[in-house]
Amino acid sequence: VGGTLPFARAVGFLTDWTETEKERVRDAVRKAFRAGHAQSLFCDAYGNTEKLRIAFGVNADEAKLESILYNTGPKAVSNVEPTLTYFTLHGKLRVIDELWRLAPEVVAAAGPDAAGEVRWQRVANVLGRLPNFGRDEGGFREPTFFAKEITQDLLDTPVFEGGRSSVVDLRTFCPAGPGAILGLMLVFNLKEKMTQSKAVPMMRALLEAAPEYWSHGDPGQLELHDVQFMLCEVQKLFHSHNSRNSLRDYVGAPPPLPGFAASGASLPWKCLVEDATLLCDGSSDGVAEEELFDRLLAWLGFPAPAQGSEAPLQHGDPVRLS
């Protein structure tokens, strides 16, 4: 819905999906809007969330907020798809309604198939039935970008027992997102966008060629999703002339306090600690206090404790060149 860590912190973990949870999401957006931080909740990397980020620009007022939250009032948009989902939180929550109804099927699809094997394609196929999560191609429903993103997240949760190590099709299956399709067009010098049924074999061909060209570790550890991701980055590099679709300078991690004020301050500390605990790997021995402390700092957006000079560089670490 938001695609950002501030949005996730503002809402917290949800174990049900009723009108109570929906109002919790709306209230997080409402509070951020009135504090002047609504745009920070919505990612600008995806068109679906970027539209709400733009909607909360300098001219946004209470009438605009009402239209985004409920699609009512003088600034309501047409009650048709995909307009409703693109331009209102109300429309996005309706998609979550459908997603929640599919949850039991998703969990079942993450289990072993008739041959005793676990395949993430089965879960993506279930999610691909949702609006905006798949498309009809040649008489079949093919999962697309959103189905891929959610299933990739689920791979690292207890939904997939045994995690990624138990999944057999990590190197053979992955939907191609819109950026990866543009990347394939560049790599293979194509003039027209291809379907999923053509894009996936092309990505497999690149993965099979990895041992000859990959010099950043064991190519056998690469997944097809890694190829998909790199293709998306390639097209950003080669489309650097397009300000809406190019690489941007890395500016480092955002300041923690403004981010916390914009997102986490509305939640009680008890809730934030519970959420941080859920982020820890479950074990029969419980969660070590030090690990919980580190996860809570990360969840709130504060810097991690100082590490030794030999610690590896991590994503988000500030780098100073002199």
Side-chain angles (χ1 to χ4, degrees):
V1 175
T4 64
L5 184 56
F7 186 95
R9 280 200 295 259
V11 175
F13 285 90
L14 303 178
T15 57
D16 203 351
W17 187 248
T18 67
E19 189 57 37
T20 298
E21 283 74 30
K22 294 176 193 177
E23 187 55 33
R24 179 167 163 178
V25 175
R26 295 188 195 104
D27 190 53
V29 175
R30 185 183 296 113
K31 287 180 177 177
F33 171 75
R34 290 173 180 165
H37 300 296
Q39 286 188 310
S40 70
L41 299 184
F42 298 96
C43 176
D44 64 353
Y46 309 112
N48 214 308
T49 54
E50 185 188 31
K51 288 178 174 60
L52 286 189
R53 186 183 180 96
I54 293 172
F56 279 120
V58 294
N59 294 323
D61 54 15
E62 288 290 333
K64 187 63 175 179
L65 176 66
E66 179 185 350
S67 72
I68 291 173
L69 296 183
Y70 301 101
N71 198 38
T72 57
K75 295 189 177 181
V77 302
S78 300
N79 192 28
V80 296
E81 293 295 357
T83 301
L84 194 64
T85 298
Y86 283 167
F87 294 99
T88 72
L89 182 67
H90 173 73
K92 288 174 170 54
L93 297 187
R94 297 203 317 178
V95 176
I96 304 299
D97 290 342
E98 299 299 320
L99 175 61
W100 195 262
R101 278 192 277 271
L102 281 181
E105 292 185 56
V106 169
V107 174
D113 59 17
E117 295 181 325
V118 176
R119 299 178 180 274
W120 77 288
Q121 182 175 3
R122 297 177 67 222
V123 174
N125 286 344
V126 173
L127 292 171
R129 287 154 40 194
L130 293 169
N132 304 308
F133 281 61
R135 58 180 294 178
D136 297 324
E137 294 182 359
F140 296 94
R141 185 71 174 176
E142 297 286 351
T144 51
F145 184 76
F146 288 142
K148 171 190 76 70
E149 292 286 272
I150 290 184
T151 310
Q152 279 289 313
D153 288 341
L154 292 176
L155 281 170
D156 298 311
T157 73
V159 170
F160 282 88
E161 293 188 19
R164 290 177 181 268
S165 61
S166 67
V167 181
V168 300
D169 59 344
L170 293 176
R171 289 177 57 85
T172 57
F173 170 75
C174 181
I181 288 177
L182 292 176
L184 286 170
M185 292 174 65
L186 287 167
V187 171
F188 290 99
N189 194 27
L190 302 174
K191 303 303 180 184
E192 296 182 358
K193 293 182 180 180
M194 71 289 298
T195 61
Q196 292 292 324
S197 61
K198 293 182 179 179
V200 175
M202 289 180 181
M203 293 194 299
R204 286 196 201 117
L206 292 174
L207 183 59
E208 290 172 4
E212 184 176 353
Y213 300 101
W214 186 254
S215 59
H216 307 285
D218 180 7
Q221 297 298 314
L222 291 173
E223 302 173 5
L224 197 59
H225 185 254
D226 294 317
V227 174
Q228 196 278 160
F229 169 79
M230 286 185 278
L231 285 166
C232 185
E233 298 307 302
V234 163
Q235 65 88 19
K236 292 178 186 176
L237 180 64
F238 282 91
H239 289 150
S240 58
H241 61 279
N242 184 345
S243 62
R244 297 291 297 279
N245 198 30
S246 62
L247 295 173
R248 290 171 290 182
D249 292 335
Y250 177 63
V251 296
L257 288 177
F260 174 67
S263 60
S266 62
L267 289 177
W269 276 99
K270 180 176 181 291
C271 180
L272 290 168
V273 174
E274 290 174 349
D275 287 350
T277 304
L278 286 172
L279 289 173
C280 296
D281 296 330
S283 66
S284 57
D285 299 329
V287 178
E289 182 178 348
E290 183 177 352
E291 181 182 7
L292 176 58
F293 177 74
D294 290 343
R295 291 299 182 97
L296 179 58
L297 286 176
W299 184 235
L300 296 178
F302 289 99
Q307 302 177 349
S309 59
E310 300 301 319
L313 188 66
Q314 297 182 354
H315 177 71
D317 288 346
V319 178
R320 180 177 180 179
L321 303 178
S322 59

